[in-house]
Amino acid sequence: MNTLYKNISLYFHYISIVLRSVMQYKTSFFLTVAGRFLVSFNGILGVYFIFARFHQVRNYGLGEVFLCYAVIQMDFALAECFAGGFLRFPGMIRRGEFDRILLRPCSAVLQILGSQFEISRIGLIIQAVLMFGYGMAVSPIAWTPGRVAAVVLMLLGGTLLFSAVFMLEAAVSFFTLEGLEAANILTYGAQEHGKYPIDIYGGRMMKICTYMIPYTLIQYYPLQYLLGRTQRWYYGLYPLGVVLFLTVCVGVWRLGMHNYQSAGS
Amino acid sequence: MITMEHVYKSYRVAKRNAGMKEACKALLRRETQTVQALSDISFAIADGEMVGYIGPNGAGKSSTIKILSGILTPDSGSCLIDGRVPWKDRREHVRQIGVVFGQRSQLWWDVPVLDSFELLKDIYSISQYDYQHNLEELTQLLHLQELLKIPVRQLSLGQRMRCELAASLLHSPRVLFLDEPTIGLDAVSKLAVREFIQRLNAAHKTTVILTTHDMQDIEALTKRIILIGKGRVLLDGTLEDMCLLAGKPQSEESRFGTKKHESMAFRQNADKTEAEDDTASENDLDRIVASLYQKLEIL
């Protein structure tokens, strides 16, 4: 318990250094916030225009899609915020900064997470909250404690899932020494597709997004429960399954660490 | 106590010719080549010793330092530092060592030096008392008083190197690895760094392992030299031993080590200033090392 407390306080110390650094470049910070906000606002407009014309996409109305979209965007923004260090990891390996991490008597993952805190994603998070509010207002959801819990789990599980994918991508660079551009399909691509409930893309996509990278666990299944389209209440607990995926990613990460220590650069 | 016995390490490196066509080919099928970085490295270093670890570029100096500091695992052989295997017991091991890379910074770029130090205090779980004590001592010895509140990116290289040294010593390590600590520094900073390392070793009995290409560093700091080339230990001895190994130029050999001061006295009579003589002998030393390295190439 003592070490856990120590690690958490160390993490916050790291983050405070990152924030102090960010404050040194104010203009850059505000431009990044504005830029990210506009880019993702563009995506929301896209969905809005589609619904202005078609009213429904496979039984889902605008409000329902907005709920789904808001949750995914929030997941992704939170993951970028907290686990963004993994996205910079390939560069750290190439520049040899990872050696310094290994020279310090604390967990490598903690140091990587602590190397970055994307506070600039705050714009996206606010946007997601507004979108969620709108979605809630226009779609008739009978809120029960179970459904509120499902939303919380979707957020937790989703953030964890995207973070795990970032970690997986980072682990790959132990072997290739550089980032894999193709891996962005799993992150940015998933965020893009995840705007809509995954079943609109058909059965094959559902399978890929369940058994390979389990996006449906944090999106499609709990959403069915949330929208009252199923009697199966346990769909709301599906986001917990992400822990399994995370375990696999941690395993790959460990393998990569081991590989690095015996090969190096 | 540091011991390395029969340590081997090889890397697989990608090999391809220059040019776009070759680069495209390499995308499909990559040819790799095994490079033997270290072969049969053995030595022992006692507590409180200062050792110069030298050799031409690519001789295996960095690989050795990385193995000793627990970053890399050797292919075979054993290595013990104070009874610990560096790569197996990494976290415990790195608490006891400090590493300064002359070419890389360990400080946080955009925040004042003191902020970095305080984070290191947390990373190494240094007690408040030890931290205060060490910080005061290091601040005094390295003249950091004015630097502590300045963001690292605004420091000159010499100033930064002094802060890097302090950063690696806050947790009172028993062993200090210095990888080219004086690279790119001006004369004043070089002297300051050397003087500091000497004092540190005298006061705390810190073991110092120094890799450098600056022979003046070696001359000023270390009695013992380990010379490596192509991954092998070629010499483990004193500066004079090294000059003997170099063989030529015979006449200049006698001017180093213990005999240096005598010869200097003679020279002063022959109306040469001391400073001129110093530069002359340093150039000679570089020449001796160069001829030694050339011999290694032929071997």
Side-chain angles (χ1 to χ4, degrees):
Chain A
M1 223 45 213
N2 200 7
T3 42
L4 182 68
Y5 171 75
K6 207 178 257 172
N7 279 335
I8 290 172
S9 92
L10 183 57
Y11 174 75
F12 282 110
H13 200 158
Y14 262 103
I15 298 308
S16 89
I17 295 266
V18 173
L19 294 182
R20 274 178 260 175
S21 304
V22 169
M23 279 184 245
Q24 300 268 315
Y25 305 96
K26 292 185 198 74
T27 320
S28 161
F29 171 73
F30 287 119
L31 286 178
T32 314
V33 173
R36 295 291 305 196
F37 189 90
L38 288 176
V39 166
S40 94
F41 192 65
N42 204 22
I44 298 175
L45 277 185
V47 172
Y48 182 79
F49 285 138
I50 283 188
F51 276 92
R53 198 168 166 81
F54 298 108
H55 306 292
Q56 274 207 334
V57 173
R58 194 165 182 174
N59 298 329
Y60 293 103
L62 177 64
E64 291 163 327
V65 168
F66 264 14
L67 279 181
C68 179
Y69 192 170
V71 170
I72 284 284
Q73 176 159 329
M74 179 86 96
D75 290 343
F76 196 76
L78 286 174
E80 274 192 310
C81 187
F82 289 102
F86 283 123
L87 296 175
R88 284 174 10 128
F89 184 72
M92 286 168 103
I93 284 253
R94 247 180 302 130
R95 288 189 296 272
E97 289 165 19
F98 189 61
D99 287 353
R100 181 51 74 180
I101 284 180
L102 289 176
L103 287 174
R104 296 196 168 127
C106 51
S107 137
V109 170
L110 188 150
Q111 293 182 66
I112 292 161
L113 292 180
S115 72
Q116 185 81 321
F117 188 82
E118 284 285 3
I119 191 75
S120 64
R121 299 301 182 259
I122 190 80
L124 298 193
I125 293 171
I126 293 172
Q127 209 171 51
V129 170
L130 294 178
M131 211 173 5
F132 193 85
Y134 178 80
M136 223 165 74
V138 299
S139 51
I141 295 179
W143 287 100
T144 60
R147 292 207 163 118
V148 175
V151 171
V152 173
L153 282 181
M154 280 167 89
L155 289 176
L156 277 177
T159 307
L160 212 59
L161 177 64
F162 279 114
S163 306
V165 175
F166 291 163
M167 187 187 208
L168 193 64
E169 273 191 62
V172 169
S173 59
F174 276 121
F175 303 96
T176 61
L177 293 185
E178 54 196 76
L180 218 53
E181 207 52 37
N184 285 342
I185 296 169
L186 300 181
T187 51
Y188 295 98
Q191 187 212 10
E192 190 63 28
H193 288 118
K195 291 173 186 176
Y196 297 98
I198 291 169
D199 60 329
I200 73 160
Y201 303 109
R204 193 173 296 166
M205 192 69 175
M206 278 285 283
K207 282 204 180 93
I208 292 174
C209 291
T210 304
Y211 298 108
M212 281 178 62
I213 309 284
Y215 287 115
T216 52
L217 296 186
I218 52 122
Q219 200 236 34
Y220 173 75
Y221 290 109
L223 195 70
Q224 299 305 304
Y225 170 68
L226 193 66
L227 301 178
R229 292 174 177 232
T230 174
Q231 294 303 309
R232 299 178 184 144
W233 58 270
Y234 52 81
Y235 274 7
L237 297 177
Y238 272 28
L240 294 174
V242 169
V243 173
L244 274 178
F245 180 70
L246 182 68
T247 315
V248 173
C249 295
V250 170
V252 177
W253 174 263
R254 291 237 168 105
L255 201 69
M257 276 274 277
H258 187 79
N259 180 67
Y260 181 82
Q261 284 185 328
S262 57
S265 51
Chain B
M1 182 74 183
I2 300 171
T3 52
M4 262 195 141
E5 277 168 0
H6 310 295
V7 168
Y8 287 80
K9 176 77 194 172
S10 59
Y11 299 118
R12 284 237 316 268
V13 291
K15 180 183 82 168
R16 69 158 202 254
N17 291 325
M20 194 62 194
K21 200 177 149 201
E22 291 294 324
C24 293
K25 240 195 249 171
L27 272 180
L28 299 173
R29 214 173 116 259
R30 195 148 60 153
E31 281 179 52
T32 56
Q33 190 179 19
T34 307
V35 174
Q36 195 68 35
L38 300 177
S39 35
D40 203 14
I41 296 275
S42 302
F43 56 77
I45 295 170
D47 287 343
E49 219 178 336
M50 287 215 271
V51 176
Y53 196 67
I54 61 170
N57 292 324
K61 298 189 298 291
S62 294
S63 298
T64 314
I65 297 291
K66 283 183 180 178
I67 288 173
L68 286 172
S69 53
I71 297 173
L72 290 185
T73 313
D75 299 340
S76 65
S78 68
C79 173
L80 277 183
I81 298 184
D82 291 332
R84 283 192 202 88
V85 178
W87 58 92
K88 281 194 181 138
D89 217 349
R90 185 180 68 78
R91 283 198 212 176
E92 262 318 300
H93 171 66
V94 294
R95 263 180 212 289
Q96 312 295 335
I97 64 169
V99 186
V100 177
F101 292 114
Q103 315 238 43
R104 279 185 218 154
S105 179
Q106 66 159 318
L107 302 165
W108 280 258
W109 199 241
D110 291 314
V111 293
V113 178
L114 201 56
D115 281 1
S116 287
F117 285 2
E118 303 222 311
L119 183 53
L120 287 167
K121 169 179 181 275
D122 268 10
I123 289 174
Y124 286 94
S125 331
I126 308 167
S127 74
Q128 184 62 32
Y129 176 82
D130 289 343
Y131 175 73
Q132 274 307 332
H133 178 83
N134 288 347
L135 186 61
E136 269 165 36
E137 187 187 349
L138 292 165
T139 305
Q140 205 205 340
L141 285 176
L142 288 162
H143 312 290
L144 301 180
Q145 201 55 58
E146 267 87 60
L147 308 181
L148 290 177
K149 292 187 176 123
I150 303 175
V152 175
R153 64 164 194 277
Q154 288 169 7
L155 297 177
S156 73
L157 188 58
Q159 291 171 331
R160 208 190 77 208
M161 189 47 63
R162 272 146 58 201
C163 296
E164 299 277 350
L165 276 167
S168 328
L169 292 165
L170 282 171
H171 58 291
S172 341
R174 293 170 47 76
V175 183
L176 180 63
F177 295 99
L178 298 169
D179 193 356
E180 308 195 36
T182 57
I183 195 161
L185 300 190
D186 62 34
V188 178
S189 304
K190 271 187 190 177
L191 287 177
V193 166
R194 284 183 203 140
E195 193 191 336
F196 171 75
I197 295 168
Q198 242 156 2
R199 282 192 181 194
L200 172 85
N201 175 262
H204 297 283
K205 294 275 165 284
T206 310
T207 311
V208 177
I209 295 172
L210 168 74
T211 70
T212 183
H213 290 295
D214 188 333
M215 292 315 293
Q216 293 163 268
D217 286 349
I218 298 287
E219 205 180 8
L221 291 173
T222 64
K223 289 199 188 68
R224 181 176 165 199
I225 294 173
I226 297 176
L227 171 71
I228 66 163
K230 299 194 173 163
R232 290 169 195 283
V233 176
L234 298 167
L235 173 94
D236 188 343
T238 62
L239 199 56
E240 286 139 81
D241 293 336
M242 195 180 78
C243 297
L244 281 173
L245 185 70
K248 290 193 303 194
Q250 291 286 342
S251 56
E252 277 157 328
E253 239 169 69
S254 60
R255 284 175 34 202
F256 298 104
T258 48
K259 289 179 188 164
K260 187 178 163 190
H261 295 289
E262 292 168 29
S263 69
M264 236 145 64
F266 282 118
R267 297 239 161 180
Q268 262 168 2
N269 291 340
D271 73 61
K272 254 195 169 186
T273 68
E274 203 174 326
E276 270 175 343
D277 186 81
D278 253 1
T279 29
S281 73
E282 279 143 17
N283 285 336
D284 292 342
L285 195 50
D286 275 342
R287 216 165 286 143
I288 287 175
V289 172
S291 78
L292 198 56
Y293 286 0
Q294 274 161 7
K295 274 188 183 178
L296 298 181
E297 281 303 308
I298 301 163
L299 282 176

